Amino acid sequence: MFRSEEISRVQLYVPLEISHATVAELGHLELVHFRDLNPSVNPFQRAYVDEIRRLDELERGLRYLQNQLDRATVRVKPLPSSQPWYYTRSHTEIDDIAQHIATHTGRLEQMAQASTSLQQQFWSLTELRHVLVQTDLFFDAQDAHSIAPTSRTGTLSVAASRTGTVRASVLRTGSYLETSDDATPLLGNEDDWVDAAEAGHTSIEGTSRLQYVYTYVSGVIPRSRIPIFERIMFRALRGNLYLTHSEIPEPIRVPPTSVSGSKAPASESAALDAGNVDDEYVDKNVFLIFAHGATVLDKIRKICESLGATMYSVDRRREGRRSEAYEIGNKLEDLEQVLKKAERLRRLELIKVAESIETWAATVKQEKAIYYVMNMFKLDLQRKVLIAEGWCPTDSLQNIRYALRAVTERTGSTIHPIVTVLPPLAHIPPPTFHRTNKFTGGFQALVDAYGIAAYREVNPGLFTIISFPFLFAVMFGDVGHGLMLFLMGAAMIMNERSLGKIKEETVSMIYGGRYVMLLAGIFSMFTGLIYNDVFSKTMNLFGSGYVFDSQHSAVTDGAVAVGRKIGTYAIGVDPAWNLSENKLSFLNSYKMKMAVIFGFLQMMFGIVLSMFNHIHFGRRRDIYTETLPSLILMAAIIGYLVVIIVYKWSVDWTAAAQQGRPSPPSLLNTLIMMFLEPGHVDPNVQLYPGQGPVQGLLLLIAGLCIPWMLAAKPYFAWREMHGHDGGAHGNGNQYSAVSGTDESTSQSGGFGSFLEEEDEGEVVAIEEEHSFSDIVVHQVLHTIEFVLSVISYTASYLRLWALSLAHAQLSEVLWDMVLGSTFGITDPVIGSIALFIAFGAWAQFTVGILIFMEGLGAFLHALRLHWVEFNSKFYQGGGHQFVPFSFRAVLEGDASE
């Protein structure tokens, strides 16, 4: 993983008769990254667009079948675990699969149509039954009034005084007369209504023998539209109607088009894409409207239709309504039995589909991927060949040749495919390919998120395996918390089979970092051992190196007990510091200096790695113009700070004070005064003899490095431009840029001549020389950035100290305020209950805040230190990923078409 794999540019000559089998074999092999040789050709004008369209139709059918399976909750038989993509189907088998998909789709569509028709009949009859019941109940309620029928024709008599309250068309000897009182409502009140025995026409006859003819409209309407329905009816008819409604106790099932108003799919393929959308259940009301006049009734019917109401014709006689209700009940029972039988047949059909749908879907995806790749090839009809071009790992060339030879033998072809290695394209680097496994893949993903490494560039992923979990652990150091993190990672590793099948994005992301979590937990336990911290409590594993004399153990009159050192604690911080009053200041100083040391070492290592890049790419001059002055400048400033930190730790300042030496100075003040007073150090704050001249010399060396970095590289570039050196002296294309991103440059070898004739539409990479002013500006910016980063990036590593301190203090607060508060309860019963509750709260806070929130914070800060402070020293990240044609990636959904 130190560098990416060596990649060769290859050209394949594939006979048309075995092109499908050849591409399929390469998909199994997963070693060839193809590039598109037809960038200027429209996707709909390529050679195999008809095959892709046919496979698209098959995918639509499969989506329809999958939708039906999901709605019926039928379990689908998964693909066998023995990697089914290793088996490629023939054209005959593909035709058989297409026939099976079409057959099952046709059957299910017929069943769905029949079921939909029966459902509509069932719910229409259900609505009609409710209309009959509610209409009968309404008229039965009117029988309770004093009005009684006087004839078999349904003519009802009312008192003469009541007829004056009715304003309507009056029937007298066959002619209609209008009353003179336009303000009189149609009905005085609900008590004036009597039983309407005739549904179509109901007449009311008074003592003056005037006969009033009324008609009514009945039906159902969604309950949500009742308020607007009443309002529109009242305004449209000016109050000349009587409207009553009642709720249907059960929701009515309606197709989605009836609710949303959407139209049916415009084509069969659109219907397959959509599948059968689940019907909706809507609460409805039965309504009954009394009015008079044909024009008024037409207006009522139009209003009902516009509001989505369904109208039903009801028999005018009570006996007829009840007889019809009995017949509808029998029909509903019969329809219910038919629907259950149809559902059983449909489920049996779906069970047959569930046995094979995953295999069919995998086959269709595989075939579609093959034709997509073949559309990237050049088609030579005269020679009856397909010409492909791409990249493959150099050490895998022999494997590719063996695979192509196997295709020839299996198909019985007389012409075998040919693989030719082409020279690399000018200024277009090959893709970057790092061989990883499930352990290293998570760490490499962290680097790739910053940017894909340039071809053969030093890969930070190798060092990230150790440095990332270590820097994380510096901020997250606690044996207990590290153990919990370790157990989480170990649990995911032990359940890789089940967790790997989950496609949810968040779960997949956490699962991909399971080994990162595992190592982070291990390193956190190590740093927790160094900090002597277990859930904010210390351990005394090796015996403290301090003892307290008896005369110093009692605290009286403001005195403090002072420990006497008798030895050194074996590993980590001595537990005696947990009892000291200056614990926090000691840990602050210790962790702050430790953060500076770690930052200096990692940044120096990054600068050294840049030297390996310069050597590999033939830019040896950059070692002397960039790497060497950078190393000297960093060592003269930050390296000196690290040296005096270690020196200050190594001196016994208690013994030095007894010898008359001054107290140890502040290192921060020492570094500041190094710049403010070069070569001079106050004797009272002197750290070691000769400190002033040493600091002055280091400052002079650091100052000389700045013009060295600023001028050396532009000077040599100027000499090259004016021909003084007669060449680049191994600097390669250091001062050139590439215009365009397509890789289609002049080609040679194999069938390169054919491609050159056909590649007129492709963009050709052109070398463009930088002007000398561009080089100077670039170098000035680079120098300023590096000089400023010497201090700023070092200060950035202080986040290691800050987050470590915050994590330890928050852990201590949670222990003392949540769990520790119950230890003082003397009552055993109350104390046990309180401890149980407090432990639950403490565990939740520990997992939620310290593990997840603090862990996420430490993760992001460690990631920033790698991306900015470390990678910026040597890593460009300007490459592109090696993406081989792979059936595995296609079936897992990781390949982009």
Side-chain angles (χ1 to χ4, degrees), residues 385-616:
V385 296
L386 284 175
I387 302 172
E389 187 177 315
W391 294 274
C392 72
T394 303
D395 58 1
S396 300
L397 277 171
Q398 198 61 32
N399 295 339
I400 296 174
R401 291 191 173 98
Y402 286 150
L404 297 182
R405 188 179 305 166
V407 172
T408 305
E409 295 173 356
R410 186 171 64 248
T411 58
S413 175
T414 57
I415 305 175
H416 61 83
I418 299 175
V419 180
T420 304
V421 179
L422 300 179
L425 293 169
H427 309 295
I428 303 297
T432 300
F433 175 48
H434 295 109
R435 294 189 187 272
T436 59
N437 52 37
K438 59 184 180 181
F439 174 73
T440 60
F443 297 97
Q444 187 62 49
L446 295 177
V447 177
D448 291 343
Y450 175 80
I452 305 299
Y455 178 64
R456 302 291 291 166
E457 184 181 18
V458 172
N459 178 28
L462 178 62
F463 317 107
T464 303
I465 296 175
I466 299 300
S467 62
F468 184 85
F470 177 73
L471 291 185
F472 173 90
V474 171
M475 296 177 278
F476 199 75
D478 189 289
V479 175
H481 301 156
L483 179 62
M484 297 175 68
L485 204 61
F486 169 79
L487 292 177
M488 291 179 187
M492 288 191 288
I493 292 172
M494 295 175 63
N495 296 277
E496 283 183 346
R497 288 182 176 269
S498 57
L499 293 176
K501 298 177 182 179
I502 301 177
K503 301 302 180 184
E504 202 276 326
E505 184 177 1
T506 303
V507 177
S508 298
M509 180 177 62
I510 297 175
Y511 170 75
R514 59 195 181 280
Y515 287 98
V516 178
M517 190 179 299
L518 182 76
L519 285 188
I522 294 174
F523 277 90
S524 295
M525 288 189 286
F526 170 74
T527 54
L529 184 63
I530 299 299
Y531 296 159
N532 203 347
D533 212 350
V534 184
F535 295 120
S536 78
K537 296 301 172 184
T538 58
M539 304 176 293
N540 192 355
L541 300 178
F542 309 104
S544 175
Y546 289 87
V547 295
F548 296 91
D549 298 329
S550 58
Q551 63 270 24
H552 298 295
S553 60
V555 180
T556 57
D557 298 329
V560 296
V562 179
R564 178 168 53 87
K565 186 174 182 180
I566 60 174
T568 303
Y569 195 68
I571 299 176
V573 178
D574 194 299
W577 283 104
N578 191 50
L579 305 174
S580 64
E581 294 182 353
N582 59 339
K583 168 190 172 182
L584 190 59
S585 60
F586 165 74
L587 291 178
N588 266 342
S589 175
Y590 166 68
K591 292 181 178 180
M592 184 186 299
K593 295 171 182 176
M594 181 182 64
V596 172
I597 295 174
F598 289 156
F600 168 74
L601 293 177
Q602 188 175 37
M603 288 190 291
M604 287 291 284
F605 182 61
I607 297 174
V608 172
L609 290 178
S610 68
M611 181 175 63
F612 288 92
N613 278 334
H614 296 325
I615 294 173
H616 177 79

Side-chain angles (χ1 to χ4, degrees), residues 131 213 224 250 255 271 567 652 688 724-725 816-817 824 848 853:
V131 170
V213 180
S224 61
E250 59 179 333
D652 185 356
Y688 59 90
H724 293 293
D725 288 352
D816 292 340
M817 299 188 64
M853 293 182 62

Side-chain angles (χ1 to χ4, degrees), residues 213-383:
V213 180
Y214 296 91
T215 56
Y216 62 86
V217 177
S218 59
V220 297
I221 188 171
R223 191 172 301 163
S224 61
R225 298 179 182 176
I226 285 292
I228 190 172
F229 181 66
E230 292 178 331
R231 192 177 303 114
I232 291 176
M233 283 294 182
F234 178 81
R235 293 179 179 177
L237 302 181
R238 300 180 182 179
N240 296 319
L241 80 160
Y242 178 78
L243 186 151
T244 183
H245 59 83
S246 59
E247 296 181 354
I248 298 177
E250 59 179 333
I252 301 299
R253 186 177 183 178
V254 296
T257 53
S258 301
V259 180
S260 61
S262 60
K263 297 181 180 180
S267 63
E268 182 181 356
S269 62
L272 291 179
D273 276 336
N276 280 349
V277 182
D278 290 336
D279 296 335
E280 298 185 25
Y281 287 88
V282 178
D283 293 323
K284 290 190 175 184
N285 282 20
V286 175
F287 66 85
L288 197 62
I289 303 175
F290 289 88
H292 57 85
T295 303
V296 174
L297 291 177
D298 289 340
K299 184 181 294 186
I300 291 174
R301 292 189 180 97
K302 290 179 180 179
I303 293 173
C304 291
E305 292 174 356
S306 66
L307 292 177
T310 306
M311 291 169 287
Y312 293 95
S313 177
V314 180
D315 194 292
R316 66 187 63 183
R317 295 173 295 107
R318 176 183 303 173
E319 294 80 2
R321 292 194 300 272
R322 295 183 176 178
S323 175
E324 187 176 4
Y326 179 76
E327 293 178 0
I328 289 173
N330 292 333
K331 289 181 180 180
L332 287 175
E333 291 180 0
D334 295 340
L335 281 174
E336 190 172 0
Q337 296 298 323
V338 173
L339 285 171
K340 288 182 179 179
K341 184 177 180 180
E343 182 61 26
R344 286 196 297 269
L345 293 174
R346 176 173 172 271
R347 190 169 185 85
L348 289 175
E349 185 72 18
L350 288 173
I351 290 174
K352 295 179 182 178
V353 173
E355 291 292 325
S356 305
I357 188 171
E358 284 295 322
T359 304
W360 296 342
T363 302
V364 171
K365 287 182 180 180
Q366 182 174 277
E367 289 295 310
K368 192 174 179 181
I370 290 173
Y371 286 114
Y372 263 113
V373 171
M374 291 172 66
N375 271 339
M376 300 168 67
F377 299 168
K378 283 286 185 179
L379 176 60
D380 186 356
L381 294 176
Q382 295 180 352
R383 305 179 188 180

